[in-house]
Amino acid sequence: MLIQNQVDLKNKHTFSTAATAKEFIEVENLHQAEEALRYWKEKPYLILGGGSNLLFLNSRIDRVLKIDLQGWEPVAETAEHIWVDVAAGVPWHDWVLQSLDLGWYGLENLALIPGNVGASPMQNIGAYGVEVQECLDSVHVIDRQTIQRLKIENKDCAFAYRSSAFKTQWKDKYLIGSVRFKLEKKNHRIRTEYGAISEELLRMGVPPKSATPKEVAEAVMSIRRSKLPDPKQIGNAGSFFKNPSVPEQVAKELLKEHPQMPQYPSENQGMVKLAAGWLIEQAGLKGIREGDAGVHSKQALVLVNYGKASGEEIWNLALHVQAEVQNRFGVVLEPEVNAI
Ligand code: FAD
Ligand code: EPU
């Protein structure tokens, strides 16, 4: 097992703030992962995937375990479905494209989400009307304390909007080694309810009802490229906050005062979901900049690092955004990004 010292993390996370790991171990298979878990058993350490949903508050991190497990294999098949195990270190978007090329459908709306497969259950990644829980059979993990391998079924993962048991009651309990997907080979129903997808398909000259899953993925990729900043050009971690839910009565009152406010059904009964990006923009914060930390000028829900911002500066900007939105609308924004 190779333990590297003083490893620069700037290029290993998409906010690209300056950060260094005192000790850094990269693992390429489950045996190496178990060895590393034993070595650090009594100590706190960060498990790192693609680093696209993290903010380092402190530039000195003690221990980082980078997951680089690769490969995928089909494990079962019927005429309609295929079950495939995909290792945690596989880049998410590569896996989406690979599955579509093989005629295995269900992940097309989730194209171009950064990061790796292993983190996909953590916050139940979602986009354009689909969440990963809909195609996920089970998660293969190693318990970080007992070093036991376990398989956790979908129903036990407590999946919810941008959340799962891995992010809540099991926080820091498991290393995710691979994810088993259940994809459709036949009779797949594409999902184009999300308005922007149909519009983009029409712009591509494709009637939304007869679009193929690959065409849906292309439409999603095109929308995402036009809206979201590319972390290779400008540091960011996607939506910094979750879209908040408020009780129906509060939503009604907000709508009376702000008739243009977007509101959506919430997965929780009696609640209504609001668009955090709209709230931030209406609070006058879209495009603001404090040093090199900023609120993106095209998508107010994305905080950005223009170059030399520290994690702390980005966090301070996030606190400012949170306070202004709360002052203006009485709504509290909860971070989606994992602050370390
Ligand atoms: P990391 O950032 O490395 O880690 C995230 C968390 O998971 C950390 O707590 C880490 O410790 C833990 N973790 C990672 N791997 C493992 C593992 N193998 N075992 C145990 N714990 C692990 N998200 C969406 O849901 N929808 C979007 O549309 C979306 N768009 C984005 C757009 C941009 C431009 C960016 C930069 C981000 C976006 N995100 C989106 C957020 C991000 O891409 C996802 O959350 C992604 O799943 C993070 O994967 P990662 O490998 O980079 O995880
Ligand atoms: N809006 C504004 N101003 C802005 C941004 C958005 O008014 O600056 C409004 C839009 O006009 C729209 C509403 O807010 O009426 C929602 O905007 P959008 O459709 O762009 O989606 P979002 O809520 O900002 C969410 C996810 C994204 C996901 C997209 C597509 C969350 C926190 N974010 O963004 O996920 O890709 O929908 O499904 O749920 C992520 O999690 O990192 C992420 C990027």
Side-chain angles (χ1 to χ4, degrees):
M1 184 172 64
L2 179 66
I3 303 157
Q4 299 178 63
N5 294 115
Q6 303 303 336
V7 171
D8 187 357
L9 299 175
K10 195 172 161 67
N11 297 322
K12 297 190 192 304
H13 70 116
T14 60
F15 250 127
S16 301
T17 59
T20 310
K22 240 196 243 167
E23 288 190 317
F24 183 92
I25 302 177
E26 187 157 357
V27 290
E28 292 178 359
N29 58 51
L30 285 175
H31 293 291
Q32 288 179 359
E34 284 165 346
E35 199 184 348
L37 295 191
R38 265 188 214 103
Y39 178 69
W40 276 339
K41 199 170 165 185
E42 306 304 330
K43 297 182 176 139
Y45 55 92
L46 169 73
I47 295 186
L48 179 65
S52 63
N53 207 16
L54 294 175
L55 179 69
F56 292 120
L57 299 180
N58 189 321
S59 62
R60 302 196 64 75
I61 311 294
D62 284 337
R63 291 164 217 93
V64 171
L65 178 58
K66 166 87 175 137
I67 306 298
D68 196 21
L69 279 63
Q70 296 297 324
W72 54 269
E73 61 167 350
V75 290
E77 197 164 358
T78 62
E80 285 85 27
H81 293 106
I82 185 151
W83 286 257
V84 191
D85 283 356
V86 186
V90 171
W92 174 261
H93 180 61
D94 292 359
W95 162 235
V96 172
L97 294 184
Q98 176 81 81
S99 64
L100 293 173
D101 274 347
L102 291 162
W104 304 338
Y105 304 129
L107 301 176
E108 55 276 4
N109 293 48
L110 304 177
L112 217 57
I113 295 182
N116 296 345
V117 166
S120 62
M122 294 293 301
Q123 68 160 14
N124 181 24
I125 56 169
Y128 299 96
V130 173
E131 289 177 329
V132 75
Q133 63 165 321
E134 294 163 57
C135 295
L136 184 147
D137 173 87
S138 49
V139 183
H140 294 234
V141 302
I142 309 175
D143 185 305
R144 291 168 66 169
Q145 275 308 307
T146 64
I147 327 286
Q148 252 187 323
R149 294 187 194 182
L150 301 165
K151 177 180 161 198
I152 302 178
E153 300 296 334
N154 181 318
K155 67 175 173 43
D156 299 321
C157 294
F159 286 125
Y161 163 67
R162 294 296 188 274
S163 181
S164 75
F166 300 106
K167 207 176 167 177
T168 53
Q169 67 260 38
W170 296 336
K171 190 168 159 40
D172 295 334
K173 185 168 169 57
Y174 295 121
L175 178 152
I176 295 174
S178 63
V179 177
R180 180 167 295 175
F181 293 91
K182 179 186 176 188
L183 300 175
E184 288 184 326
K185 300 194 304 183
K186 263 191 183 170
N187 306 325
H188 176 62
R189 186 177 70 82
I190 52 159
R191 306 271 291 276
T192 55
E193 314 80 89
Y194 212 94
I197 297 189
S198 300
E199 280 164 34
E200 185 60 28
L201 285 167
L202 288 171
R203 211 191 53 76
M204 287 159 54
V206 177
K209 280 203 175 127
S210 58
T212 63
K214 263 192 181 179
E215 287 166 339
V216 172
E218 273 164 35
V220 166
M221 284 154 65
S222 162
I223 303 166
R224 294 184 67 98
R225 285 198 181 103
S226 71
K227 278 195 175 184
L228 290 164
D230 178 355
K232 286 198 189 100
Q233 277 150 25
I234 177 164
N236 76 90
S239 300
F240 196 92
F241 300 99
K242 294 184 194 179
N243 284 327
S245 283
V246 296
E248 275 165 0
Q249 192 50 39
V250 174
K252 263 191 203 151
E253 275 153 29
L254 283 168
L255 206 54
K256 255 191 245 156
E257 232 179 291
H258 312 280
Q260 310 298 323
M261 177 182 281
Q263 298 195 345
Y264 312 98
S266 163
E267 61 188 358
N268 300 316
Q269 237 201 334
M271 302 292 277
V272 171
K273 200 183 268 186
L274 309 179
W278 189 91
L279 299 172
I280 297 169
E281 179 169 352
Q282 297 305 311
L285 301 166
K286 194 169 184 168
I288 65 159
R289 185 168 171 165
E290 287 177 7
D292 265 0
V295 176
H296 193 243
S297 55
K298 281 199 204 157
Q299 224 307 355
L301 193 42
V302 179
L303 301 191
V304 293
N305 173 12
Y306 285 107
K308 291 208 161 65
S310 66
E312 196 186 358
E313 284 165 340
I314 291 167
W315 187 248
N316 286 338
L317 177 65
L319 293 179
H320 174 63
V321 168
Q322 221 174 16
E324 290 290 305
V325 167
Q326 189 168 6
N327 267 343
R328 179 85 205 278
F329 300 103
V331 174
V332 179
L333 296 181
E334 186 193 332
E336 173 191 302
V337 168
N338 300 281
I340 307 293

